[in-house]
Amino acid sequence: MSYTEAKARYAALGVDTEAAMERLLSVPVSLHCWQGDDVIGFDNGGGLTGGIQTTGNYPGRARTPAELAADIDEVIRLVPGRMKLNLHACYAVFGGERADRDALKAEHFAFWIEFAKERGMGIDFNPTFFSHPMVKDNLTLSSPDETVRAFWVEHGKRCVEIAERFAEETGEPCLVNFWIPDGYKDVPADRIGPRERFRRSLDEILSVPYDKNKVFISLESKVFGIGLESYTVGSAEFCLSYAAENGVVPLLDNGHYHPTELVSDKISSLLIFHPRIALHLTRGVRWDSDHVVLFDDETREIARELVRCGGLDRAFIATDYFDASINRVAAWVTGVRSVRKALLFALLEPSAELKRLQDSADFTSLMAKREELNTMPFGDVWEELLRRANVPCDYLTEVRRYEKEVLVRRI
Ligand code: RNT
Ligand code: ZN
């Protein structure tokens, strides 16, 4: 079917495909830089800690800033819509003198600032509380060792300061996301102590003055990490409560809940109480495995909730996954395109009509209409969008060419 026919089919449902495409392209998605190098970064020996893990050894891992930048360019070319660059502090690029995490400055990110500016992208930022010798007994901001805790508080403060520079340089607000891996493998004797220290550390970091129109701070919760199965300091209750109390943005990573809990069901509640929310889109298979995001049921439901609840302008949307068992550029592109597809699919839903059916308790029609929507000619609208955005439909051929010309030569 051609786009013209698809457009007419959607119009018959009261859906404007032109408006949906335009809206979709304006929503920024923040691209996680860490898919390209298996979450290693450039400021450490290469050992990933923090209870997260990449598996696989597909050839072509980016080993230098230049390689990572080239791969990101390839991704940008193959994905439609506005993009931000989501950096971790461990991706600092040092010229001559190195700086430890508690001494980072915006200058150490000059490479990325230039990269983003040249491409008209904003930057989001993440302090890195893992893969570092100052992580002591798996604790950072919640450590009982004051030297350790102070080191990481300073890291947090440095990152907020750097974020303000990112916002100034790019002209777009910067989201700084705090996620700490802190936790215990086995049942702790004191659960409240580490949480009290985490709270104090966050208070200290947030006491640094920063421009609240330029820098947004988010806090990401989690259930468990590898080797940290029994207790996580930054639990959902802790993070949500802290966010509500301190005007911080709650960040939901859909791999960070019990397997039958759904982030799609949490968005509406948070949008009632928080002016902004943030998302890490991932795909957990049996656990927080960080598989590549697909155009699957939950990704679509999250997108629908954002659209239906009027959350598109209030949500910071980012991807967060890492798969080293397949072509890393393909992993990146497939995941981000899936996010875009899900958002377009959601924008093509006649949501007012569906709400009306719900409120009039016509659940029979609601179910039937929903099922029909699943087989509407969505693919034709998607392909039209790609054409207009000048992005190839067949990205795999492009990725294979890049693999042959660039990735396999990285030995
Ligand atoms: C870990 C969190 C966190 C990280 C990145 C690298 O479980 O999801 O967001 O994935 O910061
Ligand atoms: Zn995450």
Side-chain angles (χ1 to χ4, degrees), residues 198-215:
F198 185 26
R199 180 191 194 176
R200 185 155 23 106
S201 298
L202 289 171
D203 286 348
E204 287 168 21
I205 294 167
L206 295 182
S207 72
V208 174
Y210 64 92
D211 185 336
K212 299 207 161 72
N213 293 314
K214 292 184 182 147
V215 174

Side-chain angles (χ1 to χ4, degrees), residues 177-371:
N177 179 48
F178 282 77
W179 169 70
I180 59 163
D182 299 30
Y184 290 109
K185 181 182 174 84
D186 222 325
V187 186
D190 174 18
R191 286 188 166 86
I192 200 166
R195 289 184 173 136
E196 282 169 344
R197 290 190 291 270
F198 185 26
R199 180 191 194 176
R200 185 155 23 106
S201 298
L202 289 171
D203 286 348
E204 287 168 21
I205 294 167
L206 295 182
S207 72
V208 174
Y210 64 92
D211 185 336
K212 299 207 161 72
N213 293 314
K214 292 184 182 147
V215 174
F216 289 79
I217 301 208
S218 66
L219 190 56
E220 177 180 11
S221 67
K222 193 166 175 172
V223 179
F224 80 98
I226 304 169
L228 308 163
E229 288 84 357
S230 298
Y231 168 82
T232 294
V233 179
S235 61
E237 294 73 16
F238 179 96
C239 292
L240 272 186
S241 306
Y242 190 90
E245 185 191 58
N246 296 282
V248 158
V249 180
L251 187 145
L252 293 84
D253 177 313
N254 62 308
H256 290 189
Y257 297 86
H258 293 286
T260 58
E261 257 185 290
L262 297 172
V263 161
S264 53
D265 186 53
K266 300 176 188 295
I267 290 171
S268 49
S269 301
L270 293 188
L271 284 174
I272 291 175
F273 294 100
H274 296 264
R276 306 295 296 255
I277 64 166
L279 296 171
H280 270 184
L281 298 175
T282 184
R283 177 168 52 109
V285 177
R286 302 190 189 283
W287 67 288
D288 181 26
S289 60
D290 283 302
H291 279 64
V292 175
V293 175
L294 300 178
F295 182 59
D296 59 12
D297 286 345
E298 175 60 357
T299 309
R300 291 209 295 260
E301 195 64 14
I302 288 173
R304 284 190 189 107
E305 282 298 308
L306 288 174
V307 171
R308 290 169 183 159
C309 301
L312 272 189
D313 291 323
R314 292 167 58 195
F316 294 95
I317 305 171
T319 44
D320 177 18
Y321 53 82
F322 20 96
D323 193 335
S325 74
I326 55 178
N327 180 304
R328 291 174 185 77
V329 173
W332 242 328
V333 175
T334 305
V336 185
R337 280 170 72 129
S338 298
V339 171
R340 286 272 174 223
K341 273 190 207 162
L343 289 169
L344 181 63
F345 196 78
L347 286 162
L348 292 172
E349 188 179 82
S351 45
E353 168 65 3
L354 298 180
K355 273 182 205 168
R356 194 189 60 75
L357 292 173
Q358 174 177 320
D359 290 343
S360 56
D362 184 355
F363 303 117
T364 309
S365 303
L366 182 56
M367 181 182 70
K369 289 255 152 86
R370 265 203 189 128
E371 279 300 290

Side-chain angles (χ1 to χ4, degrees), residues 128-179:
T128 311
F129 296 99
F130 51 85
S131 305
H132 192 280
M134 278 302 267
V135 180
K136 188 179 170 199
D137 305 322
N138 299 316
L139 302 176
T140 63
L141 291 179
S142 73
S143 175
D145 181 329
E146 270 304 303
T147 316
V148 170
R149 200 181 68 79
F151 175 88
W152 290 110
V153 166
E154 197 50 37
H155 177 56
K157 290 180 176 174
R158 293 296 108 246
C159 287
V160 174
E161 191 184 288
I162 293 165
E164 194 159 317
R165 263 287 278 289
F166 286 162
E168 277 157 13
E169 295 273 358
T170 64
E172 280 190 57
C174 176
L175 181 75
V176 191
N177 179 48
F178 282 77
W179 169 70

